[in-house]
Amino acid sequence: MAKAYTPGLLVTQHKKHRIMRRLPIAGEVRVQEGDQVSADNIVAETNLPGDVHPINLANQMSLPPADVVSCMLKKEGEPIALDEPLAQSKGLFGMFKTIVHSRFEGTVETVSPVTGQVIVRGAPLPVQVRAYISGKVVSVAPGEGCEIETDVAYVQGIFGVGGETHGTIRVVGTSHDQDLTPDLVTPDMEGCIVIGGARMTIEAIKKAQEIKVAAIISGGIDDQDLKQLLGYDLGVAITGREELGITVIVTEGFGEISMAERTFAMLHDFEGQDASVNGATQIRAGVMRPEIIVPLNSPPASDKNKKFEEGQLETGRQLRVIRDPWFGMIGTVSGLPTEPHVLGSGSKARVLEVTFPSGEKAIVPRANVELIEE
Amino acid sequence: MTKIDPDQIKVILATDCGSTTTKAILIQYVDGEYRQTHRGEAPTTVEKPFADVTMGVVNSVTEIGELAGRQLVGDDGRIITPATDTAGCDIYISTSSAGGGLQMMVAGVIAEMTAASAKRAALGAGSIVMDVIAANDGRRPHDQIQRIRDLRPDMILISGGTDGGTADKVVQISELVAPAKPQPRFGSDYSMPIIYAGNKDARDAVSEVFSEGGFDLQIVDNLRPVLERENLGPARDKIHDIFLEHVMAQAPGYDKLMGWTGAPIMPTPGAVGDILQTVARIQDINVVGVDIGGATTDVFSVFDKTFNRTVSANLGMSYSISNVCAEATMPNVLRWVPFDMNERELRNHVKNKMIRPTTIPQTKEALMFEQAVAREALRLAYKQHKEFATTLKGVQQQRTVGDTFSQQTSGQTIVNNMALDLLVASGGVLSHAPRMHQTAMMLIDAFEPEGVTMLAKDSIFMMPHLGVLSSVHAKAAEQVFDRDCLVYLGTSVCAAGQPKPGKLCFKYELTGDKTDSGEITGGEMSLLPLDQGETGTITLSPARGINLGEGPGKKVQRTVHGGTVGLILDGRGRPLALPEDRSSCQSTVQKWLNALEVYVEEAQAVGV
């Protein structure tokens, strides 16, 4: 019988997690296979070529471009300091010479006799790659980076902003459906990963920013709050490079929506433990979702047998409806009719029957559900 | 590739390897004409764990083989050629947009002139243009260099200067690109291809600039040899060559796939442009085509034999839906919705669609909202297209005394809605609308065609296949385009000008397969039955100041074709204006939707 697959966000108590830490260009890897690293350790570093500054000397000295080369006081490949003389015109009978001082520090890279343009390249920009998660280096690609592996508990969020960070988990509020409000954020949370239940308010995020909380995580966020946080209306979900001083992750979506009870309970169990989080989200080719990774000191004795195959839609599976009119509701698959149905919109689509905890049943397009993966 | 004799081709197999699905079609010579007979579909297998595009191709082709009762894949896992009575095909061809398609950066000296020509060449070749660098683009040189460093294009096209003109400006642009050391998107051992298509007198100097630093410089004829003329062909051909030799060769499995095809693999949008140009040329008509996707909207046009293509990055129905709402503004989106909606909930709803792009509207209200967003995405994309598709800028014009009052500056748009003959829609929100009336209404509201225009949609997104086919067998491509590719929605008759509400806009008289006559008043829309395959002659008598094709107030007679929707009469005027008052806007839009039977319950629905 054909199987139906639908994507789901991963929330698991245990998985072997392996990440590649790669330099943007070739450099030096500072760890060896077998090393134990912590999230803060630098595992590789390199120098990016410095910024490039073009200077049109022909214009500045009122010379034909071809004459610029002979006026250079610094040749190609020579270093130059800020305000140091770069070129000098021959003047008239050795007098009235024009001297051009460099407005940049770096190295003279090229001098063009065609355009009279000089390129000064700034000092190399150091780039350091940190381990991001605590674990064991399992492989090294010389000059490129390394792979780190560890046993973790793992929660995939749906959307986030801000990049990689780590800290101690602090769960606030009492339940998965309690909003994350500013009164729950306290000064002793500096450097922590604050976990709330339902919608996080902009006031709570702003307060967390002030306190220098590392990351704030909750079920939902309001579109207007996100706009206020970023200072612009996010048009396309490609994030991770924002410089907000805080990483923000929502596990369920936009609006008044509670964190899945199981996710909240699991994170609650890890209160006080270190975790690594990344808000980077990319929802085009090569989907990337935000993540919360809790390295485990020792993996659970034995993983419980998986009841269901990953991604497979089956009767009895728990899912979340991800589109109106039942947006955000969690239920169980109670029927998988094979024939397409005509929806209220008039479209024909394959559907499933979902039963909510209240006993209410609904018919929902298969495209509008998300499995809760274990 | 061996030389192909079109007369010997009776069975054609074509695939389009998209980012998510590989779509295959089978075309056969049946009863004296080429027809598309079967289609198959399978997930694209470029990404890990498969990392071999041919697996998806074989899967989709196998599906067709089963449906057609014809073995198309041999025991060696390759497509069987040539065809016998029961197996194989005479030619296999393919397009590809997998892995994000072809991505380029272009540079020129003047943004409106050589850089615009370079952009046109890149877009026409089917590329996404990531950025256009020009000496006068308003950015400081170090900002331009930083931008070039940040981009990871597949190749760079540099143009600038007319042949024999000054060389230093284009060399200066090259001197910005070279030290930036742009990194290619795929593979660190891959030299960045640079196509130089500028002033021929600067070739030596440009070669010198790129002689170090790991560039693969290719020189072609100047794409703007004189200001008055573009010569985009050589640059476009070189883009295709590099696409095949470098970009495709880096994508998993493409080296194998290229060995299977009987014609070069083309970038998908380039192929769509080719088929529209072929059809415009053969039928001697002006055509606009649109493909609205989740992330981007492509608009193609052929007016007076001049082809233009634009890609509106970040105007799409899922990944980019939030951007559409931000650019268009929510009040502009909501003006198409004839009932109240909670704006805060809508904004959250839009963001949820952005982060979960594969969901579909379940309720009628959700569908109407999504189609309202589509109208705005299409409107904005077409606006960008009109601004880009212009006569050449910078061309000096000779003035005579007679031109004193009619002289136009260079760089006017060549898009003329009154001269538009055929408007073709493709992309999920248009192709998969529950009723074709909805597709027709979205097209008319967004594109605002004027006069008499045929409306059609691409039935199963077959245009890419036919585009590449047109390069080897134009006749087959044109026959299949006409008979199987397009689903004709009908003809729209739209009044240009500002008719007075409730007063006569135009009179019409229809003769032929259906007969009818009557009046359309200002602000009114009407739908007349005219089925697929039916034709008629319509005589239109516009009121004073109203233009239906022959000038204000002048009588028009045209042949009209029917379709799945019928003959649409639009007396709303152009440019289309909706009432600013929200409740009056709602009732007006509802009246139009009712007149065109846009949202009608057709079957017992489930859910809500």
Side-chain angles (χ1 to χ4, degrees):
Chain A
M1 196 181 104
K3 291 173 178 175
Y5 290 90
T6 198
L9 297 176
L10 184 64
V11 178
T12 181
Q13 294 272 6
H14 174 236
K15 72 177 280 224
K16 270 258 190 261
H17 192 58
R18 185 182 279 218
I19 54 165
M20 180 74 204
R21 308 299 288 166
R22 197 186 293 274
L23 288 164
I25 59 168
E28 189 192 347
V29 180
R30 291 182 42 176
V31 289
Q32 292 180 331
E33 200 174 313
D35 284 358
Q36 275 291 328
V37 290
S38 62
D40 247 351
N41 288 161
I42 294 163
V43 294
E45 58 188 345
T46 189
N47 287 314
L48 285 177
D51 289 338
V52 177
H53 308 284
I55 304 164
N56 197 323
L57 277 187
N59 277 0
Q60 289 188 25
M61 300 174 78
S62 302
L63 288 175
D67 292 355
V68 167
V69 180
S70 61
C71 294
M72 292 298 294
L73 297 174
K74 296 282 179 183
K75 304 296 175 207
E76 285 182 5
E78 287 186 359
I80 184 151
L82 189 67
D83 287 332
E84 198 178 346
L86 176 66
Q88 179 180 283
S89 67
K90 294 192 170 62
L92 196 62
F93 307 115
M95 299 174 72
F96 308 113
K97 291 177 179 174
T98 307
I99 298 177
V100 176
H101 297 265
S102 176
R103 289 187 289 119
F104 309 101
E105 188 177 338
T107 308
V108 176
E109 187 160 288
T110 58
V111 181
S112 171
V114 180
T115 62
Q117 185 160 257
V118 173
I119 302 284
V120 174
R121 189 178 289 276
L125 308 167
V127 174
Q128 295 179 327
V129 174
R130 291 177 193 274
Y132 173 50
I133 59 169
S134 305
K136 185 179 173 184
V137 177
V138 289
S139 74
V140 170
E144 287 183 36
C146 65
E147 273 188 303
I148 300 166
E149 189 181 85
T150 189
D151 292 292
V152 300
Y154 189 89
V155 175
Q156 213 170 22
I158 189 75
F159 173 78
V161 290
E164 293 175 351
T165 186
H166 68 101
T168 307
I169 290 181
R170 291 285 300 271
V171 178
V172 298
T174 51
S175 74
H176 72 108
D177 55 2
Q178 183 183 351
D179 283 351
L180 208 173
T181 46
D183 54 300
L184 298 174
V185 182
T186 53
D188 59 330
M189 291 175 182
E190 181 180 344
C192 291
I193 292 167
V194 174
I195 314 273
R199 178 192 154 205
M200 61 175 90
T201 65
I202 185 65
E203 293 78 16
I205 303 170
K206 292 272 182 198
K207 190 168 174 193
Q209 264 180 316
E210 279 167 30
I211 291 170
K212 295 191 168 52
V213 163
I216 186 164
I217 297 163
S218 198
I221 188 171
D222 199 275
D223 158 74
Q224 289 301 297
D225 287 350
L226 178 71
K227 187 176 172 183
Q228 205 177 323
L229 174 69
L230 296 175
Y232 56 88
D233 198 355
L234 187 75
V236 182
I238 298 175
T239 67
R241 288 184 160 199
E242 300 76 16
E243 289 182 358
L244 303 167
I246 191 167
T247 294
V248 178
I249 296 175
V250 293
T251 57
E252 316 300 329
F254 286 87
E256 304 280 352
I257 182 165
S258 306
M259 187 180 285
E261 210 168 347
R262 198 169 69 86
T263 309
F264 186 80
M266 194 179 101
L267 291 171
H268 203 280
D269 287 346
F270 292 117
E271 167 92 34
Q273 290 200 36
D274 274 346
S276 299
V277 305
N278 186 359
T281 309
Q282 182 180 307
I283 314 178
R284 284 199 188 172
V287 174
M288 189 195 289
R289 293 286 185 188
E291 59 188 11
I292 304 151
I293 304 169
V294 190
L296 302 171
N297 295 329
S298 53
S302 65
D303 291 350
K304 63 177 178 186
N305 287 332
K306 276 196 167 181
K307 220 167 125 190
F308 301 107
E309 194 181 321
E310 195 174 313
Q312 195 180 331
L313 210 49
E314 288 175 83
T315 307
R317 281 210 72 155
Q318 213 185 30
L319 53 75
R320 180 187 284 285
V321 184
I322 54 173
R323 181 94 192 220
D324 293 329
W326 292 283
F327 175 72
M329 288 178 69
I330 290 175
T332 308
V333 180
S334 51
L336 287 164
T338 48
E339 288 303 308
H341 278 50
V342 177
L343 307 174
S345 64
S347 301
K348 230 177 183 186
R350 293 193 74 191
V351 296
L352 56 80
E353 184 191 71
V354 57
T355 304
F356 298 116
S358 64
E360 184 197 352
K361 288 182 190 294
I363 299 288
V364 183
R366 293 187 185 191
N368 291 0
V369 300
E370 195 168 77
L371 289 176
I372 295 179
E373 297 283 4
E374 298 185 28
Chain B
M1 268 157 227
T2 50
K3 184 114 177 90
I4 297 153
D5 177 3
D7 292 337
Q8 297 304 312
I9 294 177
K10 307 291 180 200
V11 184
I12 301 160
L13 180 64
T15 55
D16 171 45
C17 307
S19 295
T20 48
T21 39
T22 297
K23 296 164 276 288
I25 60 166
L26 188 67
I27 294 167
Q28 290 171 288
Y29 191 67
V30 187
D31 299 333
E33 59 181 7
Y34 290 93
R35 298 298 300 260
Q36 183 261 324
T37 50
H38 298 90
R39 65 184 292 256
E41 201 170 290
T44 295
T45 48
V46 168
E47 309 270 346
K48 287 176 183 172
F50 312 104
D52 181 355
V53 72
T54 60
M55 290 170 68
V57 168
V58 166
N59 289 343
S60 63
V61 170
T62 304
E63 189 181 336
I64 287 194
E66 286 167 7
L67 292 168
R70 185 178 190 88
Q71 190 189 354
L72 292 167
V73 181
D75 295 337
D76 58 355
R78 288 176 63 109
I79 288 164
I80 301 168
T81 52
T84 63
D85 286 347
T86 55
C89 59
D90 292 313
I91 186 169
Y92 165 61
I93 50 181
S94 189
T95 58
S96 173
S97 60
L102 168 61
Q103 302 188 4
M104 290 180 65
M105 193 200 89
V106 305
V109 173
I110 306 294
E112 300 79 13
M113 292 156 70
T114 47
S117 296
K119 187 178 177 186
R120 239 187 302 277
L123 286 166
S127 170
I128 290 166
V129 175
M130 303 167 89
D131 203 349
V132 181
I133 304 286
N136 68 332
D137 66 12
R139 287 176 284 192
R140 290 170 300 178
H142 66 269
D143 290 332
Q144 291 174 319
I145 291 173
Q146 194 55 45
R147 178 70 179 144
I148 298 166
R149 286 175 73 159
D150 290 344
L151 296 176
R152 293 174 79 88
D154 295 321
M155 67 184 89
I156 296 172
L157 172 63
I158 298 176
S159 65
T162 52
D163 284 343
T166 53
D168 60 335
K169 292 292 179 198
V170 68
V171 178
Q172 212 164 349
I173 285 285
S174 305
E175 285 173 356
L176 294 180
V177 176
K181 295 186 171 47
Q183 298 295 308
R185 196 158 52 113
F186 297 119
S188 51
D189 53 345
Y190 160 59
S191 297
M192 170 63 76
I194 308 270
I195 302 169
Y196 176 68
N199 182 355
K200 64 181 181 187
D201 295 348
R203 284 177 184 174
D204 289 344
V206 170
S207 301
E208 177 65 28
V209 172
F210 289 111
S211 59
E212 288 176 21
F215 296 100
D216 175 16
L217 179 69
Q218 312 256 351
I219 294 174
V220 296
D221 289 349
N222 193 351
L223 53 76
R224 195 84 181 255
V226 289
L227 277 180
E228 292 74 18
R229 184 168 59 83
E230 280 182 339
N231 176 34
L232 306 183
R236 192 189 145 155
D237 291 345
K238 184 54 77 179
I239 293 168
H240 277 169
D241 289 349
I242 295 176
F243 175 70
L244 283 174
E245 289 164 19
H246 292 261
V247 184
M248 284 287 90
Q250 301 287 328
Y254 274 89
D255 48 347
K256 196 165 31 159
L257 188 68
M258 283 191 276
W260 294 2
T261 57
I265 298 172
M266 285 178 75
T268 303
V272 173
D274 277 7
I275 186 65
L276 290 175
Q277 286 179 86
T278 304
V279 169
R281 188 182 66 245
I282 292 173
Q283 299 185 10
D284 191 23
I285 54 173
N286 296 322
V287 183
V288 167
V290 63
D291 177 22
I292 180 166
T296 60
T297 297
D298 279 35
V299 180
F300 309 82
S301 72
V302 187
F303 280 94
D304 296 330
K305 301 183 176 57
T306 302
F307 171 70
N308 274 287
R309 168 182 172 245
T310 47
V311 184
S312 296
N314 301 334
L315 289 179
M317 290 307 298
S318 55
Y319 305 100
S320 314
I321 189 171
S322 178
N323 194 59
V324 175
C325 294
E327 270 196 39
T329 73
M330 205 51 111
N332 268 341
V333 173
L334 288 175
R335 65 191 170 141
W336 302 108
V337 180
F339 46 83
D340 286 326
M341 295 186 101
N342 179 316
E343 201 168 318
R344 183 189 157 210
E345 276 177 23
L346 273 185
R347 288 182 187 280
N348 284 327
H349 164 88
V350 164
K351 286 284 190 297
N352 282 319
K353 171 83 180 179
M354 174 183 80
I355 58 174
R356 290 179 166 109
T358 54
T359 61
I360 58 174
Q362 177 160 9
T363 63
K364 193 169 101 177
E365 289 72 22
L367 178 80
M368 290 169 86
F369 176 71
E370 217 157 284
Q371 294 185 346
V373 177
R375 283 172 171 85
E376 286 302 304
L378 294 169
R379 183 179 66 82
L380 291 171
Y382 196 43
K383 184 168 172 265
Q384 289 179 7
H385 185 81
K386 282 191 267 193
E387 285 165 3
F388 179 74
T390 60
T391 55
L392 295 182
K393 290 182 182 171
V395 177
Q396 284 194 339
Q397 294 183 323
Q398 288 187 342
R399 275 169 173 269
T400 64
V401 175
D403 292 329
T404 305
F405 298 107
S406 61
Q407 177 83 12
Q408 291 189 325
T409 55
S410 62
Q412 295 291 306
T413 185
I414 59 168
V415 174
N416 178 1
N417 274 357
M418 190 58 90
L420 176 61
D421 299 299
L422 174 65
L423 177 53
V424 183
S426 70
V429 71
L430 293 169
S431 295
H432 298 149
R435 280 175 64 75
M436 296 207 195
H437 299 66
Q438 293 161 7
T439 309
M441 192 71 179
M442 281 187 274
L443 287 175
I444 295 171
D445 287 345
F447 288 84
E448 300 187 27
E450 298 170 4
V452 179
T453 313
M454 271 294 277
L455 306 176
K457 72 166 191 171
D458 184 359
S459 57
I460 53 169
F461 198 53
M462 210 194 293
M463 285 197 284
H465 309 80
L466 301 184
V468 68
L469 178 59
S470 70
S471 67
V472 289
H473 203 313
K475 186 175 144 201
E478 203 247 336
Q479 283 184 357
V480 176
F481 183 83
D482 199 44
R483 289 161 179 74
D484 301 306
C485 174
L486 291 192
V487 174
Y488 288 100
L489 306 176
T491 303
S492 67
V493 175
C494 306
Q498 292 297 319
K500 291 191 175 70
K503 305 282 184 198
L504 176 70
C505 180
F506 61 88
K507 290 181 184 172
Y508 64 89
E509 189 181 352
L510 177 68
T511 56
D513 291 334
K514 291 267 165 54
T515 54
D516 203 340
S517 63
E519 289 182 2
I520 296 294
T521 56
E524 184 189 357
M525 290 194 86
S526 182
L527 178 64
L528 304 184
L530 193 62
D531 294 335
Q532 185 102 35
E534 292 183 335
T535 57
T537 301
I538 195 162
T539 307
L540 302 160
S541 308
R544 216 174 120 192
I546 300 300
N547 185 2
L548 284 158
E550 294 292 345
K554 291 192 176 157
K555 195 179 243 188
V556 175
Q557 195 170 66
R558 292 274 192 280
T559 301
V560 288
H561 299 267
T564 48
V565 177
L567 180 61
I568 299 163
L569 305 178
D570 182 352
R572 298 177 297 175
R574 298 287 185 269
L576 187 55
L578 279 78
E580 288 191 6
D581 170 62
R582 183 81 193 104
S583 91
S584 137
C585 183
Q586 285 179 359
S587 61
T588 304
V589 168
Q590 187 63 60
K591 196 176 74 183
W592 296 339
L593 297 176
N594 291 345
L596 255 68
E597 302 163 19
V598 176
Y599 300 100
V600 174
E601 311 291 338
E602 281 185 306
Q604 187 61 44
V606 298
V608 175

